[in-house]
Amino acid sequence: MNHDIDGVIETRIEVHADERGSFAEIMRATGFPEAFAQANHSVSKAGVLRGLHYHVRQADLWYVISGRAQVALADLRTSQERRVRTLDLSCDSPQTLFIPKGVAHGFFARTDVDLIYWVTHEYDPQDEHGIAWNDPFLAIPWQTSDPILSARDSANQSLEWTTIPRF
């Protein structure tokens, strides 16, 4: 079930190609509500699921360099209301995805995935939160039932609205 989630911004990337190669403008700071403070590069093997993660002080901007990922978003800003959205990010259809604070996010690597992402605050372990990838309330329709998870993501608990901060 896909719903629009306030503040999520999808931007299609125009690629200019000729016999020499290609050029694409990935992002302009003026197109987003906050300035970015750090850039990260994530590499995931096919079958890996990262998430669900969320932040109180940090927004993310994702761009897939290579591969295909199924992305899941869950709005935690509206208490006890199920607002979930899934979409695919792929190097074959370049785009960026802006994920605001309070929106849990994760992705399943359908192939090997190279992902660059910018964040609005430098890394702060106190702002790293998680929810179980297979939370029954969120019921995300992942394209896998047996993903490869990190120890941290394996330990994420089911959603408890009483523990979710205000955004």
Side-chain angles (χ1 to χ4, degrees), residues 42-116:
S42 169
V43 177
S44 300
K45 296 185 180 301
V48 166
L49 193 149
R50 295 188 184 266
L52 296 168
H53 306 142
Y54 68 94
H55 311 280
V56 176
R57 295 180 299 278
Q58 172 184 303
D60 290 31
L61 177 67
W62 289 6
Y63 177 69
V64 170
I65 297 171
S66 67
R68 290 189 335 265
Q70 178 200 14
V71 175
L73 305 171
D75 194 346
L76 303 179
R77 300 168 297 180
T78 54
S79 182
Q80 302 186 30
E81 182 180 334
R82 183 178 180 272
R83 294 190 58 81
V84 171
R85 181 169 181 220
T86 60
L87 64 140
D88 288 325
L89 288 182
S90 169
C91 64
D92 297 329
S93 179
Q95 69 184 69
T96 59
L97 179 66
F98 180 80
I99 306 164
K101 303 168 197 171
V103 175
H105 48 277
F107 71 89
F108 171 64
R110 296 175 60 204
T111 65
D112 290 353
V113 171
D114 236 347
L115 172 77
I116 296 285

Side-chain angles (χ1 to χ4, degrees), residues 18 35 47 63 94 109 118 128 152 165:
D18 63 22
Y63 177 69
W118 296 263
E128 291 288 323
R152 175 182 150 212

